[in-house]
Amino acid sequence: MRILLVGINYAPDLVGVAKYNTELCESLVAEGHDVRVITAPPYYPAWRIPRGFRSWYFRSRKLNGVQVIRTPIYVPARPSGAKRLVHHASFALASAIPLVRTALSWRPDIMLSVAPSLTSAAFVAVAARLTGTKSWLHVQDFEVDAAFDLGLLQNQRLRRLMLRAEARILKSFDRVSTISPQMSRRLKDKGIPPEKVREVRNWIDTGAITPGPATVNFRTELKIGEDDVVALYSGTMSNKQGLDLVVEAASALEASHPNVHFILAGEGPHKPKLVEMSRGRGNVHFLGLQPNDRFAALMATADIHLIPQRAEAADLVLPSKLGAIFSSGRPVIAMAGSGTGLADEVEGAGLVVPPGDANALAEAVRTLGEDEPLRNVLGKQGRTRALERWNRESIIHQWLREMLAIDDDSGRPHSSGGTQLQPEALLLPVKEQVRLTGK
């Protein structure tokens, strides 16, 4: 198949949606499909474009077998609600040019749009209809709901307008998928016919992130003892994570439990404030965003993983870091309301505390910090859960099955021509497909 993905985030960004867009495209190429990507320059989570990627013209290059077309984009240094709207609009407008050109000249079998950014998705749906291509929207988070529920935008008239626009965009696609059961239900609540909705969750390489003894490299670097208890947050540092609560929990435990340390690893617009809040506290440590070759060691540094969350963010997104946490064989403390997707995922593999309650977070850290057998039991259950629900190979094959099914529905021949294979055969390694077709 020829597959065109349009999404604002891609490699070399390391975290969030970029990781999954990149790994999906490279996996599809490894299975013998032809993949092109229209994306922005890297900028996330630092909200800064590296010097080598700054440009006001389009760039195209091959990256691990994927043809990557980068568009100019506006990236605000301090992203507010209004600036984020302009940011996404700039990508939508700039990406429309290579989108139309690629749709008409290359004739993809499937156009896959990844939200964020929903504004660019509208152009993808139109281009797909004009060229008779199957269209697929994959929702990583509900950006309109998040913008208003988290207070980034507050004008209720604007919210109604944006929700109407969102509904029209969602309904214009042949397939709409998202990453959790609760988010799938939200899509249906927004009027998407159930037969169009698929749950295709994010994944983790369970062979790369594995249980094991605590590593000492980061502990040595931060002057943390081998027997001290480490509670780790790793990821983006923006307003919706509620990371202020971690600093407050650290403050509550500093005097009574000096052996408990908190590590905040990552980048984002909220990081300077967190550093200032933590000034003078010996039990709060900061690290930058870690490259892939150091990420497994970072995960093994922790005795406990943390997923703080504001109540307003419930079921707007399922934190992608959860898969890596489970795979590491360490327990997690998650801030989530009863019945939310995050609470359901964590139950039995960690502790769930009310969102926004720093004292409850501190008490949960104290509980796990003092009970190593409980940490081991919960961590083992998390590892089992990672293998069952978050395994990369299984989920990539689910993507392939769904893509082959929607492509077969189009009635168009596969772009590669020649001998047609049944969908099950197309899931085989490329060399085996060659043997079956004689090509």
Side-chain angles (χ1 to χ4, degrees), residues 230-259:
V230 170
L232 170 69
Y233 170 85
S234 176
T236 304
M237 298 183 185
S238 61
N239 189 49
K240 69 181 178 182
Q241 275 76 33
L243 290 168
D244 301 26
L245 301 164
V246 175
V247 178
E248 292 176 27
S251 176
L253 292 174
E254 186 174 20
S256 60
H257 293 76
N259 67 318

Side-chain angles (χ1 to χ4, degrees), residues 3 5 10 17-31 33 35 37 66 112 114 136 138 140 200 203 392 395-400 403:
I3 301 162
L5 183 145
Y10 199 77
V17 178
K19 165 185 165 64
Y20 300 106
N21 286 348
T22 305
E23 292 182 0
L24 173 61
C25 290
E26 291 179 358
S27 296
L28 291 170
V29 166
E31 293 291 343
H33 303 288
V35 182
V37 172
V66 180
L112 173 63
V114 179
W136 186 326
H138 185 57
Q140 286 278 3
V200 188
W203 58 83
R392 174 177 173 172
I395 296 171
I396 292 294
H397 275 200
Q398 182 187 359
W399 270 106
L400 282 163
M403 285 184 167

Side-chain angles (χ1 to χ4, degrees), residues 130-360:
L130 290 174
T131 55
T133 303
K134 286 293 183 178
S135 60
W136 186 326
L137 176 63
H138 185 57
V139 179
Q140 286 278 3
D141 65 48
F142 290 100
E143 55 194 295
V144 176
D145 292 337
F148 288 94
D149 290 349
L150 295 172
L152 299 174
L153 296 171
Q154 297 181 343
N155 186 301
Q156 291 305 305
R157 182 180 180 187
L158 177 62
R159 180 174 193 165
R160 289 192 294 271
L161 290 172
M162 291 181 67
L163 286 173
R164 282 200 292 269
E166 176 194 64
R168 293 188 64 178
I169 293 170
L170 291 171
K171 292 174 183 178
S172 65
F173 280 82
D174 297 307
R175 176 82 75 247
V176 184
S177 60
T178 192
I179 60 176
S180 75
Q182 290 75 16
M183 293 174 73
S184 295
R185 286 200 294 270
R186 186 175 287 237
L187 283 174
K188 295 169 188 175
D189 291 342
K190 288 176 178 288
I192 310 306
E195 63 271 17
K196 280 190 177 186
V197 176
R198 298 290 186 276
E199 178 194 344
V200 188
R201 64 172 56 218
N202 291 329
W203 58 83
I204 191 66
D205 186 342
T206 53
I209 307 294
T210 59
T215 56
V216 299
N217 292 351
F218 288 105
R219 289 175 180 250
T220 301
E221 177 184 333
L222 298 172
K223 298 181 173 57
I224 298 173
E226 291 185 33
D227 295 327
D228 288 341
V229 174
V230 170
L232 170 69
Y233 170 85
S234 176
T236 304
M237 298 183 185
S238 61
N239 189 49
K240 69 181 178 182
Q241 275 76 33
L243 290 168
D244 301 26
L245 301 164
V246 175
V247 178
E248 292 176 27
S251 176
L253 292 174
E254 186 174 20
S256 60
H257 293 76
N259 67 318
V260 176
H261 292 259
F262 293 76
I263 297 177
L264 302 177
E267 301 293 343
H270 202 50
K271 187 172 183 177
K273 178 185 176 183
L274 295 169
V275 172
E276 182 60 33
M277 288 178 63
S278 306
R279 194 174 303 279
R281 302 199 183 284
N283 64 342
V284 181
H285 311 268
F286 288 88
L287 291 170
L289 190 65
Q290 299 302 307
N292 289 332
D293 59 356
R294 282 168 59 89
F295 184 67
L298 175 66
M299 300 302 285
T301 300
D303 298 291
I304 304 162
H305 289 280
L306 304 177
I307 301 181
Q309 193 178 65
R310 292 173 54 184
E312 299 89 343
D315 289 339
L316 297 178
V317 64
L318 182 66
S320 58
K321 62 179 70 67
L322 192 57
I325 291 171
F326 285 158
S327 193
S328 73
R330 304 293 199 268
V332 58
I333 300 172
M335 289 188 143
S338 177
T340 61
L342 180 56
D344 290 349
E345 293 282 345
V346 168
E347 192 67 42
L351 302 182
V352 178
V353 300
D357 190 337
N359 290 329

Side-chain angles (χ1 to χ4, degrees), residues 340-403:
T340 61
L342 180 56
D344 290 349
E345 293 282 345
V346 168
E347 192 67 42
L351 302 182
V352 178
V353 300
D357 190 337
N359 290 329
L361 177 60
E363 180 62 20
V365 171
R366 184 198 62 77
T367 297
L368 286 182
E370 295 175 349
D371 194 340
E372 184 177 359
L374 178 59
R375 295 202 304 268
N376 292 337
V377 168
L378 296 175
K380 184 176 181 180
Q381 177 57 37
R383 176 65 182 179
T384 300
R385 201 162 293 180
L387 295 171
E388 291 174 350
R389 303 182 188 177
W390 298 76
N391 181 266
R392 174 177 173 172
E393 184 178 356
S394 299
I395 296 171
I396 292 294
H397 275 200
Q398 182 187 359
W399 270 106
L400 282 163
R401 287 192 299 272
E402 295 286 355
M403 285 184 167

